[in-house]
């Protein structure tokens, strides 16, 4: 059974996935390996539309493999109707890591490793709008919603492993 971790950027999908299993697949890392550059650089050179095509193709590929894998999606995976249709087929196994906007904003602002184009190129107000629109989509696709604001990775992993 494939478990899919959903959530806004900074929610901890990569961190939690790495704690869960050795069959963990991080879509952002796989994409960066395939395109040979950071996602931020790809956005600058090729644009978001080209990135979303690669992302959709990879999601379909990984979900078709099946098995006991855990897939960490990128924060924007839900904006594509194609991706939402794939995720709807994975019912009972979509897990939303949810956090308040302020917690996420601070995490992203302080993250010196992952530079997120949508964060860098939007005002806080516009970024909040993106967050709100995506949260509605995440919630509609999720079978389990875990608020991660005040939980350790170990606590979150215990919750996920109990399902």
């Amino acid at each position: 059974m494939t478990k899919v971790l959903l959530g806004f950027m900074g929610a901890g999908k990569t961190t939690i996935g790495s704690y869960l299993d050795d069959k963990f697949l991080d879509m952002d890392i796989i994409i960066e390996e395939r395109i040979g550059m950071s996602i931020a650089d790809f956005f600058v050179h090729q644009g978001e539309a080209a990135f979303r095509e690669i992302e959709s193709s990879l999601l379909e590929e990984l979900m078709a493999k099946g098995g006991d894998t855990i897939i960490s999606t990128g924060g924007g995976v839900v904006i594509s109707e194609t991706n939402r249709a794939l995720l709807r087929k994975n019912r009972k196994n979509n897990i939303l890591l949810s956090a308040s906007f302020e917690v996420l904003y601070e995490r992203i602002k302080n993250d010196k490793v992952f530079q997120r184009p949508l964060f860098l190129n939007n005002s806080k107000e516009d970024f909040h709008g993106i967050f709100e629109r995506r949260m509605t989509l995440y919630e509609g696709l999720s079978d389990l919603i875990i608020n991660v604001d005040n939980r350790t990775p170990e606590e979150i992993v215990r919750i996920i492993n109990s399902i």
Side-chain angles (χ1 to χ4, degrees):
M1 134 181 85
T2 301
K3 291 181 182 175
V4 178
L5 300 179
L6 300 170
F8 200 70
M9 60 188 86
K13 298 178 298 291
T14 297
T15 300
I16 299 306
S18 67
Y19 274 76
L20 281 168
D21 198 290
D22 58 349
K23 296 180 183 176
F24 170 61
L25 303 169
D26 187 303
M27 287 183 59
D28 285 346
I29 291 172
I30 294 169
I31 289 171
E32 286 184 343
E33 288 171 355
R34 290 185 180 182
I35 61 177
M37 66 179 80
S38 72
I39 291 171
D41 287 344
F42 190 85
F43 262 62
V44 169
H45 298 293
Q46 302 293 324
E48 183 176 359
F51 172 78
R52 296 296 173 202
E53 286 180 28
I54 292 168
E55 181 180 58
S56 292
S57 176
L58 178 60
L59 179 64
E60 184 173 18
E61 175 190 328
L62 295 178
M63 291 186 75
K65 286 182 179 183
D68 288 333
T69 57
I70 299 164
I71 300 170
S72 171
T73 61
V77 74
V78 295
I79 64 174
S80 160
E81 176 54 43
T82 300
N83 295 347
R84 291 194 305 272
L86 286 168
L87 292 165
R88 279 191 288 273
K89 292 178 185 176
N90 196 53
R91 295 313 287 192
K92 300 189 182 181
N93 296 302
N94 295 328
I95 302 162
L96 172 59
L97 302 182
S98 178
S100 66
F101 176 75
E102 288 303 324
V103 166
L104 293 173
Y105 192 84
E106 286 304 310
R107 285 183 186 175
I108 295 164
K109 183 172 76 171
N110 295 322
D111 189 342
K112 304 304 178 210
V113 175
F114 295 107
Q115 297 297 302
R116 294 161 169 99
L118 289 177
F119 176 79
L120 298 172
N121 298 324
N122 285 283
S123 67
K124 186 174 183 179
E125 181 179 281
D126 291 340
F127 195 64
H128 187 263
I130 294 167
F131 168 80
E132 290 292 331
R133 287 187 296 278
R134 289 187 183 178
M135 284 305 295
T136 300
L137 297 172
Y138 299 137
E139 290 169 357
L141 293 165
S142 298
D143 305 296
L144 173 64
I145 300 173
I146 303 170
N147 185 292
V148 300
D149 277 354
N150 298 305
R151 288 196 167 109
T152 66
E154 293 82 6
E155 290 172 311
I156 297 163
V157 167
R158 278 195 298 276
I159 293 168
I160 293 170
N161 284 334
S162 71
I163 61 168

